[in-house]
Amino acid sequence: EIVLTQSPGTLSLSPGERATLSCRASQSVSSSYLAWYQQKPGQAPRLLIYGASSRATGIPDRFSGSGSGTDFTLTISRLEPEDFAVYYCQQYGSSPENFGGGTKVEIK
Amino acid sequence: EVQLVESGGGLVQPGGSLRLSCAASGFTFSSYWMSWVRQAPGKGLEWVANIKQDGSEKYYVDSVKGRFTISRDNAKNSLYLQMNSLRAEDTAVYYCARGLRLWRVPYYWGQGTLVTVSS
């Protein structure tokens, strides 16, 4: 079973700043089957990134994903007001397809 | 427009059963992996189970193996989750989700249905 550890737990930033979120896997994620989601209160999650670095349809290019093996990063180049939310990583290369514990990006 | 509408949630006593349904529309249901993901109140996301396009492969998180069964009816464009021997720790919003092209990764999500296990 692959365990995903996200850091930091909370990120306090101002609009316009750059956000860097980390997701570390306990073992290598096959074929970079790593996804990132955004979730706002009371809403279902939204897929942002799949395959570690491919943006889902309609996702702004300020969101980018990188990494391979056990270390992955989600970068938001310039935070917009609507980007303050909780972000989760998930590996879908092997069962169980675990999620990380989440990173909350809050307004400083 | 892709739509996923969950139903069947509610209050159930420990040890009881519920069957969740997910009605899909706006896409060719039989072409996609489908998943169930849950979220306990105030907690993070937990992957529960998924099922291949033709139902030939099913996978579960360890905590529900032997208690939950995922199934689908491609003729009815519907996904199901039969939940037996429910426990308090199964209390959560249950989301139905569709995969992305050939991959299992949950792409489109429903709005969820709340399951509360309590006496």
Side-chain angles (χ1 to χ4, degrees):
Chain A
E1 173 177 347
I2 297 177
V3 176
L4 299 179
T5 302
Q6 291 188 241
S7 61
T10 302
L11 200 51
S12 299
L13 295 168
S14 300
E17 289 193 294
R18 181 184 189 89
T20 304
L21 287 67
S22 173
C23 176
R24 181 159 293 175
S26 61
Q27 53 188 283
S28 184
V29 176
S30 64
S31 304
S32 295
Y33 284 158
L34 192 287
W36 288 94
Y37 299 86
Q38 176 193 69
Q39 188 179 34
K40 298 179 181 179
Q43 296 185 15
R46 177 172 72 144
L47 178 67
L48 300 174
I49 301 288
Y50 63 95
S53 60
S54 297
R55 269 189 302 277
T57 302
I59 301 303
D61 61 7
R62 64 179 181 272
F63 291 92
S64 63
S66 62
S68 63
T70 61
D71 287 297
F72 299 89
T73 301
L74 174 70
T75 302
I76 310 171
S77 58
R78 287 177 56 86
L79 282 164
E80 297 288 341
E82 62 267 27
D83 299 336
F84 292 91
V86 180
Y87 293 83
Y88 296 95
C89 59
Q90 184 207 15
Q91 70 81 20
Y92 55 98
S94 62
S95 185
E97 297 178 14
N98 291 330
F99 288 86
T103 292
K104 182 179 182 180
V105 178
E106 64 176 23
I107 299 177
K108 186 174 181 180
Chain B
E1 180 193 4
V2 172
Q3 285 201 320
L4 298 168
V5 179
E6 302 94 337
S7 61
L11 175 64
V12 61
Q13 291 189 338
S17 298
L18 273 180
R19 189 195 196 204
L20 303 185
S21 298
C22 173
S25 61
F27 64 98
T28 304
F29 182 74
S30 59
S31 295
Y32 294 90
W33 279 85
M34 296 296 297
S35 302
W36 288 101
V37 176
R38 66 184 179 184
Q39 187 168 35
K43 302 297 183 183
L45 300 172
E46 181 181 33
W47 175 82
V48 175
N50 57 17
I51 184 169
K52 196 177 180 181
Q53 289 90 331
D54 61 359
S56 61
E57 294 180 33
K58 304 176 185 182
Y59 301 97
Y60 300 90
V61 67
D62 280 352
S63 60
V64 309
K65 282 180 183 176
R67 299 189 301 122
F68 290 12
T69 302
I70 188 172
S71 62
R72 64 192 296 163
D73 185 335
N74 288 344
K76 294 183 178 179
N77 293 336
S78 293
L79 177 72
Y80 306 102
L81 187 67
Q82 177 66 44
M83 303 187 297
N84 298 331
S85 303
L86 283 161
R87 306 166 179 167
E89 54 266 35
D90 295 318
T91 294
V93 173
Y94 284 74
Y95 293 102
C96 158
R98 192 205 86 177
L100 172 62
R101 294 194 281 273
L102 298 180
W103 295 293
R104 301 194 293 255
V105 61
Y107 183 21
Y108 285 105
W109 296 62
Q111 285 305 302
T113 186
L114 176 62
V115 172
T116 302
V117 184
S118 174
S119 55

